[in-house]
Amino acid sequence: MSVAVSGHPAVHAIGMSRLPAEDTGLPELLALVQQQPESTQALAACLPLAVAKADALHAGDRCLWLDALRAARRAGGLAHPVGCAAALTLAERWSDWPLLLALCADLEAMPRRPDGLPADEARAQVLGLHALGHTDQAIALCRRRMLACPKEAWPASIHAELTAWQAFVRERGPAIEGDGLRLEPLGHQHMADFAWQYHDPAIAALCCLPRFADARAWHAWLDRGWGFGDQRIYAVLHPEWGFVGSISLIQHADVGFFYYWLGPDFQGHGLGPAAVSLLLEAAAVRDGLTVCYAKVFANNRPSRRALERLGFIALDFLPAPPNDDERFYRLGPSQSREANVAELRRLLAEMGSEARIAVPARIEARTADGWNTQRIDQERT
């Protein structure tokens, strides 16, 4: 969407002889923010109007706004409490938790209230810390808030949710920390973050993942994924941008199968291979992973090149129809083709996958070892 709207009446009005009209749209408001990032007066006028229209933001335009808000903060345009608070609300509505936490710190430094942030902003700060995996800090803030503001109900309820999440993570495995990324177990708190990055239908198609009709469907999918017991699902968190995608590993014994995806704004920057390396290295150390498989569409050249750069080898046998437009890849110690067939067949059966291997009869005869090759009806999503 073009935002070069310098001729719009609202742009000329921001002198600020008069305020932008209430019906000014998000593209025009974005242009105003981009043109005067240093003007506290202009941003204090524009950003509350953007808050009222925040739900109308198209996911493809999200990073344009977040870039503009960051630029305004650097230029000093968010130094006024009104503009800063409105920017904080936008960061919460659009799931930009790193920006939100920075703005919370800015607000706390302003001479506003002796008892700290107002309730809505304090609650957003706790949720931002939790979304980025800083759950210990979020719990500590809840406890301080309960002592400072005993009449507020939200700190106790969120504190209970956070302690339950900590117990879940202890049972299923901790986050994986890297130099530039963090892999945080994917939880229900990540639903909005997930949705902002998952908006491109190509992601679901290329990863064979579902399209979600509503929030309930997404929550059910997440519960089902963790419920299999052999799968770990992570949010890929970037220190400056927060949630940029997701990665998952299914493991049986020392053999695994993984998939990942990134949002459109974060593809092509090496974040996917970095997340895969981080995941597989941690699985090798923690869980004894020695072999990992992946499956991609034959025409998905970027993903195939990324796998090859990570050391995965394309296998010389194909999935059976209707999945014969996909290709198998393997990372691990070299072994015979027959052993690869047997190993992958066993893994697919243990996963409950519908995928099957189309193997020539001569290989089939040499690997006849009693594996059940009947179709498994349980579909793994």
Side-chain angles (χ1 to χ4, degrees), residues 12 34 94 97 111 196 210 215 223 225 249 257 271 281 285 304 306 310 329-330 339 344 349 358 362 373:
H12 299 298
Q34 291 172 327
W94 297 336
W97 306 113
W196 281 115
D223 285 338
L249 177 68
F257 184 97
L271 298 177
E281 289 169 7
V285 172
R304 296 184 69 175
L310 287 163
Y329 278 77
R330 181 181 185 273
L344 181 54
R362 64 181 183 277
T373 59

Side-chain angles (χ1 to χ4, degrees), residues 31-77:
L32 300 179
V33 174
Q34 291 172 327
Q35 290 174 11
Q36 298 195 47
E38 76 292 341
S39 172
T40 57
Q41 185 182 19
L43 297 184
C46 294
L47 295 183
L49 294 177
V51 168
K53 300 171 173 63
D55 290 343
L57 181 71
H58 185 274
D61 297 328
R62 174 177 175 266
C63 277
L64 292 174
W65 263 101
L66 302 184
D67 277 334
L69 292 176
R70 280 168 165 75
R73 180 173 179 266
R74 290 192 299 269

Side-chain angles (χ1 to χ4, degrees), residues 118-134:
D120 287 346
E121 292 154 358
R123 182 177 181 276
Q125 185 180 32
V126 168
L127 296 178
L129 288 167
H130 183 33
L132 294 177
H134 307 309

Side-chain angles (χ1 to χ4, degrees), residues 135-189:
T135 308
D136 288 342
Q137 295 178 46
I139 288 175
L141 281 181
C142 280
R143 289 172 177 164
R144 290 204 294 269
R145 192 77 184 190
M146 283 188 280
L147 292 173
C149 305
K151 293 184 179 180
E152 293 179 357
W154 68 264
S157 63
I158 293 181
H159 184 275
E161 295 174 6
L162 296 177
T163 53
W165 174 251
Q166 280 191 325
F168 176 83
V169 170
R170 282 195 297 269
E171 176 188 352
R172 296 305 182 100
I176 302 171
E177 297 272 9
D179 291 338
L181 292 176
R182 176 187 177 94
L183 307 184
E184 174 76 5
L186 188 68
H188 294 287
Q189 70 272 19

Side-chain angles (χ1 to χ4, degrees), residues 6 41 54 61 66 68 77 86 88 111 131 159 171 175 178 224 266 268-269 284 296 307 330 334 336 338 354:
S6 58
Q41 185 182 19
D61 297 328
L66 302 184
L88 191 155
H159 184 275
E171 176 188 352
R224 189 163 57 250
F266 302 101
H269 302 287
V296 298
L307 286 172
R330 181 181 185 273
S334 179
S336 68
E338 293 87 344
E354 288 190 340

Side-chain angles (χ1 to χ4, degrees), residues 230-280:
D230 59 356
Q231 183 173 11
R232 291 180 181 172
I233 315 169
Y234 296 93
V236 180
L237 302 179
H238 188 276
E240 295 182 17
W241 293 102
F243 190 108
V244 297
S246 181
I247 190 167
S248 178
L249 177 68
I250 302 164
Q251 185 172 344
H252 287 267
D254 64 338
V255 182
F257 184 97
F258 92 96
Y259 75 84
Y260 78 92
W261 60 267
L262 297 176
D265 291 312
F266 302 101
Q267 296 172 9
H269 302 287
L271 298 177
V276 174
S277 294
L278 191 59
L279 175 66
L280 298 186

Side-chain angles (χ1 to χ4, degrees), residues 191 210-224:
M191 185 195 70
R211 296 296 298 170
F212 303 105
D214 51 30
R216 180 179 298 180
W218 186 84
H219 289 300
W221 167 82
L222 182 62
D223 285 338
R224 189 163 57 250

